[in-house]
Structures are given as C-alpha cells and as structure tokens.
Amino acid sequence: MLCYHAAVTTRALNEIETKALLAAAGVAVTPTELARTAAAAAALAERLACPVALKIVSADIVHKSDAGGVRLGLASPADVAVAFDEMMHAVRARQPAAHLDGASVQPMAPPGGVEVIVGVSVDAQFGHVIMCGLGGVLVEVLQDVAFRLIPLQLRDAREMLTELHGFPLLRGVRGRPGVNLRALEELLLRVSKLAAQRPDIQELDLNPVLAYPDRVLAVDARALIEVQR
Ligand code: ADP
Ligand code: MG
C-alpha cells in the first residue's frame, strides 16, 4: 500500500493550462495564449486586441506579481514587445533559478469588476472542499471566506455568497450596482462539478474572478494535479 502512495506526485498546471480546463467546464475565462518571444507576444496582442495583460509563465513561480511577472494595460503591440523583454529581465533578476516558459498574453478585463476568489482543495477527512471569498484585502486580512463540501447544490452556492461579510459589495451598496449573483452561483456549481469529475485535482485556484453586473470572468487561475510517477 505504501508503495502505491510513494508513486504518486503532483504537477502544477500553469495559467494557460488551468484556464483551458476551466473553459472546457463552462467557466468564462479571458482567452490566454503563450508567447515564447517578444515578437510572438506582440503578434498575439495584435490578434487578441489591446489593451492586454502580459504574465510570466513558469512552473517555478506561483505568485507572478511578487516575482515582477505581471504587466497590465499594455496599449499596443510595440508596448507588449518592450514589456516582454523587461519582464523577462526583471523576473530573472529576482528568481535566477526559475525555468521560464515565456509569457501569457490576454485581453484586459474591463474595469469595475468586484474581485472574488474561488478555490478547491482536498481535506484529508472529507475530500474535495470548495471555498469562495472576496478578493484582495478582505481575504488576506479579514479571512472573509466560505467553505462547503463538493458536490455543491444551488442552495449551497447561494449561501456561500450571502454568508460573506462582504456580501453587500456583491449585492450592491450605496449606489454601486450589484454583480450578477446568478452567474457567480453558476460558476461555483461548474467548478464543483469539475472537481467532482476530476479526483486528481489537488488544488484549483481562480484568483481573481472579476464579477460584473452582467457576467463573471476568471482572469487568473492555477491548479495542482496528482500524477502517477
Ligand atoms: P498573480 O496572482 O500570480 O500575482 P494575477 O494574474 O492574478 O497574478 O494578476 C495580478 C492582478 O492583476 C490580478 O489580481 C488582477 O487584479 C489583475 N489582472 C490580472 N489579469 C487581468 C486581466 N486580464 N484584466 C484585468 N486585470 C487583470
Ligand atoms: Mg492571481
């Protein structure tokens, strides 16, 4: 029995791979493609339409911003080419040992979305657990998050949102429009279904999902998958 466990390890899925997994499960993500050179990044920016975001792709880097590996709001393909080289230099200076695959290119999501985080993890006793919370300072400082076991029912998805202390930000407060709560519930259900179908998923993070009055959109994602050695 122990031999079986020793033969199991995990593999990180990068932003592009994880977004492909999510898109196949019906979760809206920003279309995101890999560029290995500055010229390729500029060509992708041309095709995807500026402004775009450029992010480091490396299995050795989990927090891209902390590594100097996120550039937002690049206005033209020429800007993208310059930013690509700058970003590669900046990341290499900070993490010389990291293997860099290139950079992801994706359209900037519109401003004004409420940042939500959604995660899946494995509890030793209960198996897959899904988490959601409001992004940024609310999660980091106030730990305002809700957890449920998978599979999720619609009622659970609803309760997860309403029990957040920050729920008024989602419902709309003081003239700020609320977000599409149905779309957010649907996203939670689709992530739950994906995890239920994929017992090899050890971790799945959508951080952030941007929630708007009309829709929701995941702009960053990563996963950890169990693999046989
Ligand atoms: P990381 O979490 O690895 O540092 P992210 O991809 O989450 O990197 O990018 C950092 C932040 O940049 C996000 O929290 C979000 O606020 C913003 N961001 C990332 N991608 C986009 C995008 N496509 N459109 C708009 N904002 C984005
Ligand atoms: Mg992120």
Side-chain angles (χ1 to χ4, degrees):
M1 291 301 272
L2 277 175
C3 288
Y4 169 75
H5 286 292
V8 172
T9 182
T10 54
R11 182 169 87 83
L13 300 190
N14 67 33
E15 181 193 6
I16 295 168
E17 294 166 327
T18 310
K19 282 178 170 173
L21 190 67
L22 289 168
V27 174
V29 299
T30 39
T32 306
E33 296 192 38
L34 178 68
R36 294 185 189 277
T37 64
L44 279 175
E46 182 94 58
R47 181 149 63 75
L48 293 168
C50 286
V52 297
L54 194 66
K55 306 181 194 175
I56 196 73
V57 176
S58 166
D60 301 322
I61 295 174
V62 175
H63 300 292
K64 299 178 288 297
S65 307
D66 294 352
V70 176
R71 299 293 172 97
L72 301 175
L74 300 168
S76 71
D79 288 354
V80 170
V82 172
F84 183 98
D85 289 330
E86 279 175 5
M87 191 172 84
M88 290 298 162
H89 276 110
V91 173
R92 261 190 216 110
R94 286 197 211 186
Q95 303 220 10
H99 173 81
L100 310 183
D101 292 318
S104 70
V105 183
Q106 67 196 274
M108 284 297 290
V114 177
E115 293 208 357
V116 176
I117 71 167
V118 174
V120 172
S121 57
V122 177
D123 179 275
Q125 197 174 352
F126 297 110
H128 271 145
V129 174
I130 186 166
M131 175 275 279
C132 83
L134 290 167
V137 75
L138 285 169
V139 150
E140 279 159 33
V141 181
L142 303 178
Q143 313 220 311
D144 184 19
V145 292
F147 288 92
R148 288 290 184 286
L149 295 181
I150 281 171
L152 213 55
Q153 306 299 317
L154 178 59
R155 212 179 68 186
D156 304 319
R158 249 167 221 174
E159 283 174 4
M160 285 181 86
L161 300 176
T162 54
E163 77 185 36
L164 296 173
H165 295 296
F167 178 66
L169 286 174
L170 296 175
R171 194 191 49 208
V173 66
R174 301 223 177 109
R176 271 182 67 120
V179 309
N180 187 332
L181 292 170
R182 296 290 160 274
L184 206 45
E185 289 163 4
E186 187 59 34
L187 179 143
L188 289 169
L189 291 173
R190 288 184 179 179
V191 170
S192 163
K193 194 170 166 200
L194 170 63
Q197 287 168 346
R198 290 283 303 261
D200 58 324
I201 292 178
Q202 297 296 295
E203 287 177 24
L204 176 60
D205 283 311
L206 292 69
N207 183 9
V209 172
L210 298 178
Y212 298 94
D214 59 337
R215 62 179 178 144
V216 296
L217 185 62
V219 302
D220 185 30
R222 53 173 288 274
L224 213 53
I225 304 292
E226 197 174 76
V227 288
Q228 307 291 322
R229 250 203 290 251

